[in-house]
Amino acid sequence: MNNIINCLVENEPGVLARIVSMISGRGYNIQTLNVGPTQDNNVSKMTMVVPGDEHVIEQVVHQLSKQINVIEVVNMTNQRHMNRELILVRVASEDHASRIEIVDLATLFDAKVIAVQEDSVTLQMVGNQERICDFLRLLKPYHVIDISRSGVIAVCRESVDAGFEN
Amino acid sequence: MKKHLDKDKESNKERSGAQCVIDGLTSAGCEVLFGYPGGAVLDIFNCLYDAPFQFVLSRHEQGAVHMADGFARATGKTGCCLVTSGPGATNAVTGLATANMDGIPMVCISGQVPSAMIGNDAFQEADVVGITRPVTKHNFLVRSVEELPSVIAQAFHIASSGKPGPVVVDIPKDIQRQMTEATIPEAIEMRAYKPHVDFKKEDVHALAALINSSERPVLYVGGGAIAGDASAELLELAHKANIPVCTTLMGIGAFPEDDALALSMLGMHGAVAANYAVDKCDLLISAGARFDDRVTGKISEFAKNAKVVHIDIDRSAIGKSVRCDLGVEGYLKPVLESLIPMVDKADHKEWVDQTQRWKDRFPFAYPGGDDTIMPQFVIEQICAVSGGKATVVTDVGQNQMWAAQHFNYTRPRSFITSGGLGTMGFGLPAAIGAKFACPNDLVVCVTGDGGVQMNFQELVVAVEHKTPVVTVILNNGYLGMVRQWQEMFYDHRYSGVTLGQSKRQRMERIDEGREYLPNFIMLAEAHGACAKRIFKPEEVAPTLKEAFESGKSWVIECIVEPEANVFPMIPPGQAVEAMINRSV
Ligand SMILES: Cc1ncc(C[n+]2csc(CCOP(=O)(O)OP(=O)(O)O)c2C)c(N)n1
């Protein structure tokens, strides 16, 4: 099962390398990783999607918490939360018919056509993990030329991010 | 002599970065700094010239780090060492990894090329923060002279709090030379690092309830009990509820082995009684131990009849490898202090009697050697001749296991060994570090003819500082522990493990010879130590006595039975049923 882990870290040089090296050194696997600033200049938020059973995820959370620069770790999967990912995907469409099908599909998923060429359509979509997954599955029959994914980001519905200073 | 080359640059309040390092070490209580100089730490060495603490020049950076480590293990104080950039720092890596695995508090200062040159493959540049990240508790690359005093203070705080560990502070040369008015902060504020955990009262209540309803409890004690200074509480708890106690290799000394409830070491080469007790107990209370695979063997079979409780300061160690019915996160000492009043007095008579029968029936034993010295006998004699008072520092291999098995340890910090990493070459420099820490204690290094060659050069340090260490080499002519595995699991095919000149393997293409090289006696004497080679059992005690009483550094080379093995042994990954015990 995929878990979304939010990790608040001190915004200092080398912290990303520290986290990534711990994760790879201990043989954990990360599917996506997103890092960005927060409302607090001294704090960055890392969001990672980690596949693994309960035991693995528990270890990941503890090992992250143990890092000296880590302020707080929240396994979002255990919280009421919202998650989103942005994807950009370029799909081959050499004839009118396939273009219409692709655009139809995009419409059903609230995806936007952001570029059209003679031989391809580029789509942008924002959604939660499930929707992104469904969308990509339905695009499979077409020829996907290129895809870029932002990685998942997530926020809790209630305020639990106690790591921030007021 | 000119004291400060750049004295003219100093104003009243301003100090150089290098001076901040010395002041930081001083205010953190550094008593002895072990180290080795080089281009990137010249400025620190220049200020070291006037330092209030002692400096010890090792002969290899690995030696310096092991000395700082031995100093820390012998006292619980934070060990301090100083190395130069590039090769100096890479030489320190094995020492750092050794300390990290065993949770030893240490601060290692390393020089770095000037900030502007970082990343340019400058002379003697290495990405030390990158290289040491996975083998330290934390590390810092100092980015400005202003932050230096506070970084040093933080390094000591991190190294010594929570689960201790080594911290590297990498300081570019330009920052050592810059001037600052920054001072050591009075209070250390670290936003993300909160090592203090208050254990949960309800966890301790739950633990007391488990103990009070248990019929066959066992305490399983690790190095955390020594780091956490919890020996007295362990003794009180064990006696109050009559709980037999076994220790890990790292926990040796946390519980007196002459106590009736002591079961000695458990695990791969542990006592039969300890392993049987863990197998048959209904409650296993782990106190500061981390369920290393050398202890558990086959995980699914480990303590299979028991409820398992983990008490640890390191949350990530709780439930990491072995199932956990109750986890108590906290410092061991206060946890036990609050636990003891809740525990009912009990005698667990049947259970304690049972463990006693196992102890009587299966002591650590070994076959008699007639005219050859048995290595186990040497350890027994070290115990006897020192009246059990020696601090024993071991190397790694068979010598380490025999030293663990055949000496009666009765006080914490009297057995010093590289447990987690198993670093050959650790013994001699760590013994020297321990002697610096406890000059009034008798420090004996037990080592093999293989491992002692890995850091032999450090013997000079013991001699020149008159910090005498007695090094006992159990010379079996082999890399003994590897030979034992090849004998037992690889059909006697001894490959790359013979140290003498005779019977070398064909692929080594070494002509048959008779001499053993090196000549340890000449080597020791060349380093200024006293030395003697002995062959007969009756020579052991008198030679030890002479060395112990001499107040000098000694090397005693005991020519021992070449193919003695360490037993009992539970083959790796197997359960207690698979224990091999050919001790007699
Ligand atoms: C630095 C290092 N290299 C290799 C090993 C693997 N190893 C473990 S025990 C051992 C043999 C040690 O031989 P010796 O020092 O003669 O001691 P003995 O086992 O004979 O007592 C070796 C090679 C190690 N632990 N550390």
Side-chain angles (χ1 to χ4, degrees):
Chain A
M1 137 142 197
N2 279 346
N3 286 257
I4 304 172
I5 295 175
N6 264 3
C7 184
L8 293 181
V9 299
E10 288 178 305
N11 180 13
E12 274 182 18
V15 174
L16 175 61
R18 195 174 292 287
I19 301 293
V20 170
S21 119
M22 185 281 288
I23 297 265
S24 77
R26 292 193 176 265
Y28 309 131
N29 188 2
I30 327 184
Q31 244 165 30
T32 69
L33 171 65
N34 179 290
V35 191
T38 63
Q39 72 274 29
D40 180 336
N41 279 339
N42 301 317
V43 177
S44 302
K45 185 181 272 180
M46 302 177 69
T47 305
M48 48 197 116
V49 173
V50 186
D53 62 22
E54 204 183 317
H55 181 73
V56 170
I57 299 304
E58 194 180 314
Q59 266 300 304
V60 173
V61 169
H62 293 322
Q63 293 294 347
L64 283 170
S65 310
K66 206 161 104 171
Q67 299 296 311
I68 307 293
N69 302 114
V70 171
I71 298 166
E72 186 178 54
V73 186
V74 181
N75 182 355
M76 303 300 278
T77 319
N78 300 337
Q79 313 277 338
R80 272 161 54 82
H81 76 278
M82 337 253 269
N83 71 72
R84 290 291 182 273
E85 182 171 10
L86 168 72
I87 64 169
L88 300 175
V89 50
R90 191 149 63 89
V91 190
S93 78
E94 274 157 13
D95 54 55
H96 186 67
S98 72
R99 184 176 303 161
I100 295 212
E101 281 177 33
I102 292 165
V103 171
D104 264 2
L105 187 60
T107 315
L108 290 173
F109 278 87
D110 278 338
K112 266 197 212 148
V113 177
I114 53 170
V116 184
Q117 303 291 330
E118 290 79 2
D119 55 355
S120 71
V121 186
T122 304
L123 307 169
Q124 163 192 319
M125 168 174 171
V126 175
N128 64 22
Q129 279 194 294
E130 266 185 328
R131 274 179 70 80
I132 300 264
C133 206
D134 289 347
F135 183 52
L136 290 177
R137 201 179 65 245
L138 292 173
L139 272 182
K140 271 248 169 80
Y142 306 94
H143 174 49
V144 173
I145 302 166
D146 194 11
I147 180 163
S148 284
R149 305 177 60 158
S150 66
V152 177
I153 52 171
V155 287
C156 287
R157 281 166 181 265
E158 291 96 1
S159 53
V160 293
D161 276 10
F164 287 111
E165 279 165 3
N166 305 318
Chain B
M1 237 199 240
K2 262 213 296 190
K3 276 199 172 172
H4 285 283
L5 291 175
D6 40 11
K7 186 125 204 154
D8 50 318
K9 278 198 222 149
E10 281 181 28
S11 74
N12 263 350
K13 285 195 262 164
E14 289 209 314
R15 301 178 296 164
S16 67
Q19 189 59 47
C20 293
V21 172
I22 302 301
D23 294 349
L25 290 168
T26 308
S27 89
C30 171
E31 295 164 29
V32 186
L33 175 68
F34 302 91
Y36 209 90
V41 284
L42 275 168
D43 291 275
I44 298 177
F45 272 81
N46 183 44
C47 295
L48 182 59
Y49 198 98
D50 301 311
F53 48 79
Q54 184 175 13
F55 174 71
V56 173
L57 177 68
S58 69
R59 296 303 192 267
H60 186 298
E61 287 86 355
Q62 186 186 349
V65 183
H66 288 328
M67 285 180 209
D69 182 323
F71 187 97
R73 289 183 203 239
T75 54
K77 297 173 188 165
T78 300
C80 304
C81 49
L82 168 62
V83 298
T84 191
S85 68
T90 55
N91 270 349
V93 168
T94 302
L96 293 167
T98 304
N100 194 47
M101 280 292 248
D102 291 340
I104 304 304
M106 179 189 294
V107 170
C108 177
I109 310 276
S110 57
Q112 181 54 276
V113 301
S115 310
M117 288 165 83
I118 290 179
N120 289 345
D121 297 325
F123 177 63
Q124 295 196 327
E125 178 180 358
D127 173 8
V128 170
V129 164
I131 291 170
T132 61
R133 189 183 295 123
V135 296
T136 52
K137 181 169 175 186
H138 195 58
N139 59 20
F140 294 92
L141 173 60
V142 179
R143 285 169 199 271
S144 76
V145 71
E146 274 68 41
E147 70 176 29
L148 188 50
S150 101
V151 165
I152 302 230
Q154 287 177 27
F156 276 93
H157 174 59
I158 294 169
S160 60
S161 55
K163 178 176 179 179
V167 178
V168 167
V169 183
D170 197 31
I171 313 175
K173 185 167 170 129
D174 53 319
I175 290 174
Q176 299 168 28
R177 298 177 66 84
Q178 284 161 17
M179 306 300 285
T180 181
E181 289 180 9
T183 53
I184 299 164
E186 290 195 353
I188 296 156
E189 271 179 54
M190 296 184 67
R191 178 169 184 181
Y193 180 61
K194 303 273 180 277
H196 189 80
V197 282
D198 288 318
F199 61 85
K200 293 203 194 83
K201 267 268 171 197
E202 60 266 33
D203 290 345
V204 178
H205 277 286
L207 173 52
L210 284 174
I211 294 175
N212 291 339
S213 62
S214 152
E215 285 171 11
R216 300 183 308 279
V218 165
L219 270 159
Y220 151 53
V221 175
I226 294 171
D229 189 22
S231 288
E233 291 74 18
L234 276 173
L235 195 66
E236 192 181 340
L237 172 65
H239 281 185
K240 184 166 184 190
N242 268 295
I243 308 175
V245 182
C246 59
T247 69
T248 66
L249 183 71
M250 294 307 298
I252 286 178
F255 192 81
E257 292 185 346
D258 52 3
D259 191 281
L261 291 167
L263 300 173
S264 297
M265 179 172 73
L266 85 166
M268 179 180 280
H269 291 299
V272 176
N275 285 321
Y276 278 6
V278 169
D279 188 51
K280 295 288 184 292
C281 68
D282 66 358
L283 175 66
L284 185 73
I285 309 153
S286 154
R290 61 183 180 85
F291 298 84
D292 183 273
D293 53 279
R294 284 288 185 269
V295 162
T296 60
K298 191 172 179 185
I299 295 272
S300 57
E301 294 287 302
F302 182 71
K304 58 180 183 293
N305 301 306
K307 284 221 156 65
V308 179
V309 181
H310 300 206
I311 314 173
D312 209 300
I313 183 60
D314 178 1
R315 182 64 190 79
S316 69
I318 296 175
K320 181 166 70 179
S321 48
V322 166
R323 72 189 188 284
C324 170
D325 298 289
L326 172 65
V328 185
E329 182 187 1
Y331 286 101
L332 189 54
K333 196 182 178 83
V335 167
L336 294 180
E337 277 168 352
S338 107
L339 173 69
I340 290 166
M342 299 179 206
V343 170
D344 300 336
K345 276 198 173 145
D347 63 10
H348 294 124
K349 186 162 180 351
E350 240 174 84
W351 174 234
V352 173
D353 286 351
Q354 171 67 72
T355 61
Q356 185 61 46
R357 283 195 296 277
W358 287 325
K359 277 166 70 173
D360 294 341
R361 202 163 144 217
F362 308 106
F364 285 122
Y366 56 94
D370 300 328
D371 237 16
T372 41
I373 302 176
M374 294 305 287
Q376 300 92 332
F377 175 73
V378 178
I379 309 294
E380 286 172 357
Q381 291 301 304
I382 295 171
C383 188
V385 174
S386 71
K389 292 205 173 59
T391 294
V392 175
V393 185
T394 81
D395 210 78
V396 167
Q398 293 182 311
N399 61 84
Q400 175 185 34
M401 292 302 132
W402 288 320
Q405 293 178 338
H406 294 276
F407 191 107
N408 248 317
Y409 298 95
T410 53
R411 60 184 171 91
R413 306 191 183 281
S414 62
F415 177 73
I416 292 176
T417 200
S418 163
L421 200 66
T423 307
M424 282 173 72
F426 170 82
L428 180 53
I432 297 169
K435 184 70 186 180
F436 272 100
C438 307
N440 298 324
D441 290 359
L442 170 64
V443 177
V444 180
C445 167
V446 173
T447 180
D449 49 327
V452 77
Q453 293 186 57
M454 287 203 178
N455 273 316
F456 202 94
Q457 75 284 349
E458 305 303 341
L459 183 56
V460 168
V461 176
V463 172
E464 67 188 3
H465 283 276
K466 299 198 171 57
T467 46
V469 165
V470 177
T471 300
V472 179
I473 304 175
L474 302 177
N475 185 346
N476 50 16
Y478 287 109
L479 297 172
M481 186 57 99
V482 182
R483 184 207 56 74
Q484 175 173 347
W485 284 51
Q486 291 178 346
E487 175 189 328
M488 295 175 66
F489 310 122
Y490 291 87
D491 197 22
H492 282 79
R493 284 159 58 90
Y494 295 169
S495 177
V497 294
T498 314
L499 292 171
Q501 302 299 303
S502 80
K503 288 198 256 165
R504 297 295 282 257
Q505 287 83 53
R506 209 180 324 125
M507 85 296 187
E508 292 188 285
R509 309 203 175 118
I510 291 174
D511 295 338
E512 184 70 18
R514 297 222 324 278
E515 234 182 334
Y516 180 97
L517 296 174
N519 180 326
F520 284 118
I521 305 307
M522 287 167 69
L523 190 60
E525 286 171 354
H527 286 72
C530 306
K532 188 168 178 187
R533 181 181 299 131
I534 56 177
F535 301 85
K536 300 247 171 300
E538 59 271 21
E539 292 175 284
V540 176
T543 313
L544 286 172
K545 193 160 185 293
E546 183 185 356
F548 291 174
E549 286 170 359
S550 71
K552 294 202 173 114
S553 279
W554 264 79
V555 171
I556 302 174
E557 180 188 7
C558 305
I559 307 298
V560 299
E561 164 60 38
E563 299 193 42
N565 286 329
V566 181
F567 288 119
M569 178 173 196
I570 302 175
Q574 300 206 33
V576 72
E577 287 78 39
M579 188 190 307
I580 305 166
N581 197 6
R582 291 188 219 128
S583 350
V584 272

